[in-house]
Structure formats: structure tokens, C-alpha cells
Amino acid sequence: MNPRRAPFHLVGTGPGDPDLLTLAARRLLERVDAVWAVAAAGTRPRALDVVRPHLRPDLPVRVFELGMRAGEGEKADFYAALAEEAERVSGLGEEVALLCLGDPLFYGTAARVLRFLDPDIPVRIHPGVNAVALACARLAVPLALGEEVVVVTPATLPDARLRALLEVADVLVVLKVGGHLRRLKALLAEYGRLESAWLAAELSGEGEAIWRLDADAPLTAPYMSLVIARRDAA
Ligand SMILES: C[S@@+](CC[C@H](N)C(=O)[O-])C[C@H]1O[C@@H](n2cnc3c(N)ncnc32)[C@H](O)[C@@H]1O
């Protein structure tokens, strides 16, 4: 490892509530040379809103915009370029904190940069509270107990794969629900698990809401929502 290179930090900010930012992340943000965040083009990075109160007013902040409908190839190019820029500033001795909502290594989009970084760059990961932990806390329901098997999946998988997961999971956690809610409800009903499932949306944001996935639950959900489906209601 080249000792002249400054560390590059990947920082989990938690799901949105500034009180859920870890003390370690907060201390780090007080001393880094710059903060970076990734946002869909034309949107404001939520992770930046979370940490804003803790940033020095003169701290350089850079937002890297990724096209809303970027495909896998475009994303790879985007993160390869981000990694190149990280290497450049690291070589200048500047410590950068790249923000990521929730925990960076739990489906964290910004973590895609890791595979493109030169292994000589010292990388430091700062864990954050993930959205599933917050959902369980709001529900006061354990994510898992004893020998229960938890499966976490994006809602984007095809029905056949979701069915296979429902067969094995005592607790199925579904992220990226968005426009897949109707399909998910039908699948859960097929397995008799609709009544013991919850939908949690926009946790710690202004639109925070939690529903039992019964008849009164909404038919659509925002992207920032997840489903927790236990085999039995805890
Ligand atoms: C790309 S993943 C990022 C997960 C994040 N790194 C974490 O640790 O929570 C985005 C998905 O996480 C879930 N999610 C993240 N933040 C959320 C929130 N505040 N409320 C509800 N769901 C959230 C949603 O399912 C969303 O589609």
C-alpha cells in the first residue's frame, strides 16, 4: 500500500433520520477534506441531507449525477470514472467521504465504486443503520429469532424466483418494492402470508407510513419502501 495515499471513506448515513447517523460517521465527517454523494440526475441526494447539519460550512461537497434510467453498462462506466477521481484525490492526500443511505454494504448503490478502486487506495467502510433494522424497530418485531431463516431480496426478481424464496424463508424481506407491490401481494396471498406481512414506506422521512398488508393496505408503494413477511405474525 502506498503510504502517501489518503484513505477513501464509504460512509453509511442510516435511513434518513440524522439521529441514526453513527458517532463514528459524525466524527469522521468533522475531519474529512470533502464529502461526495451520488444522486439520480435532477434529484438531491438524501444522504447529504442527513449529514448536512454536521458539515463545516466551508467543506467542499460534490454530487455525482447518474442518469435516472442508466443501464448496467452506463452504471459501470459511471462508477469506474468515480473510482478514477477517488484515486486522483487520494494521491493528492485528500480524504474523501462518499455517502450512502443506510448501510453502504447492504445494497448500497455507492458501494459499486469498490470494485473499480485501485487496491493500493486505503478504503475505510463506516457501517450505518439499514432500513430493515429501522422497520423492525418501528414494528417492534424481531427480524429473526432462534433458527428462523431470513431471506432478503429485491422485488424486481421474477415470480418464479420469489416463489422459490417464499418456500424457504421464515422471514422474507423485500426491498425496492415500488411498482411491484400488487404482484408481491398476490404472491404472498398464494402462500397464505399476506396477513402476517407489513409494508414500511419512507421510514424516517415526512411520508413515513407502515401498513399491515391486508385489505386496507395501499395498492402502490414508493421506491423507498420494503415488505417484511413473516411465516407467522410475531
Ligand atoms: C438500494 S437499497 C439501499 C439500502 C440501504 N443501503 C440500507 O442499508 O438500508 C434501497 C431500498 O432500501 C429500502 N429503503 C431504504 N431506505 C428506506 C427507507 N427510509 N424507508 C423504507 N425503505 C427504505 C427500500 O426497499 C429501497 O428500495
Side-chain angles (χ1 to χ4, degrees):
M1 191 180 290
N2 184 339
R4 286 168 306 170
R5 293 190 169 186
F8 179 74
H9 302 270
L10 192 54
V11 182
T13 65
D17 179 348
D19 279 355
L20 294 179
L21 187 68
T22 68
L23 282 176
R26 189 174 161 173
R27 284 196 196 107
L28 173 82
L29 292 169
E30 282 166 3
R31 67 173 176 78
V32 288
D33 299 301
V35 160
W36 291 1
V38 173
T43 68
R44 220 178 50 212
R46 293 186 188 204
L48 193 53
D49 291 340
V50 178
V51 304
R52 190 67 86 176
H54 305 298
L55 304 183
R56 303 189 300 275
D58 61 337
L59 187 70
V61 171
R62 271 178 78 173
V63 176
F64 295 78
E65 291 200 343
L66 179 60
M68 198 76 91
R69 302 196 190 287
E72 284 305 313
E74 215 176 315
K75 280 184 193 161
D77 291 348
F78 175 86
Y79 283 102
L82 189 61
E84 214 171 285
E85 183 60 0
E87 284 160 26
R88 188 186 70 78
V89 298
S90 165
L92 296 173
E94 290 177 23
E95 269 188 69
V96 165
L98 176 61
L99 305 176
C100 192
L101 264 183
D103 180 75
L105 300 185
F106 184 67
Y107 293 95
T109 315
R112 287 174 188 256
V113 73
L114 294 178
R115 63 181 274 237
F116 297 106
L117 279 175
D118 180 335
D120 279 350
I121 304 280
V123 173
R124 307 272 184 270
I125 309 288
H126 304 265
V129 175
N130 70 58
V132 181
L134 181 57
C136 290
R138 290 283 200 262
L139 290 162
V141 161
L143 177 61
L145 284 173
E147 295 187 335
E148 285 178 336
V149 172
V150 181
V151 173
V152 183
T153 177
T156 47
L157 295 194
D159 286 4
R161 287 194 64 194
L162 290 175
R163 281 196 183 94
L165 298 178
L166 275 161
E167 297 281 350
V168 296
D170 296 310
V171 185
L172 185 71
V173 178
V174 188
L175 302 182
K176 308 182 185 187
V177 174
H180 299 275
L181 184 60
R182 194 184 288 262
R183 187 168 70 87
L184 268 178
K185 284 173 81 171
L187 284 168
L188 289 168
E190 225 177 88
Y191 285 78
R193 293 174 71 164
L194 191 59
E195 304 291 315
S196 56
W198 292 270
L199 171 69
E202 301 281 355
L203 292 167
S204 77
E206 279 175 14
E208 172 170 323
I210 296 185
W211 296 269
R212 273 255 183 213
L213 267 188
D214 54 18
D216 297 332
L219 293 175
T220 59
Y223 171 75
M224 278 299 182
S225 59
L226 59 90
V227 164
I228 297 180
R230 296 189 56 87
R231 206 178 278 287
D232 49 44

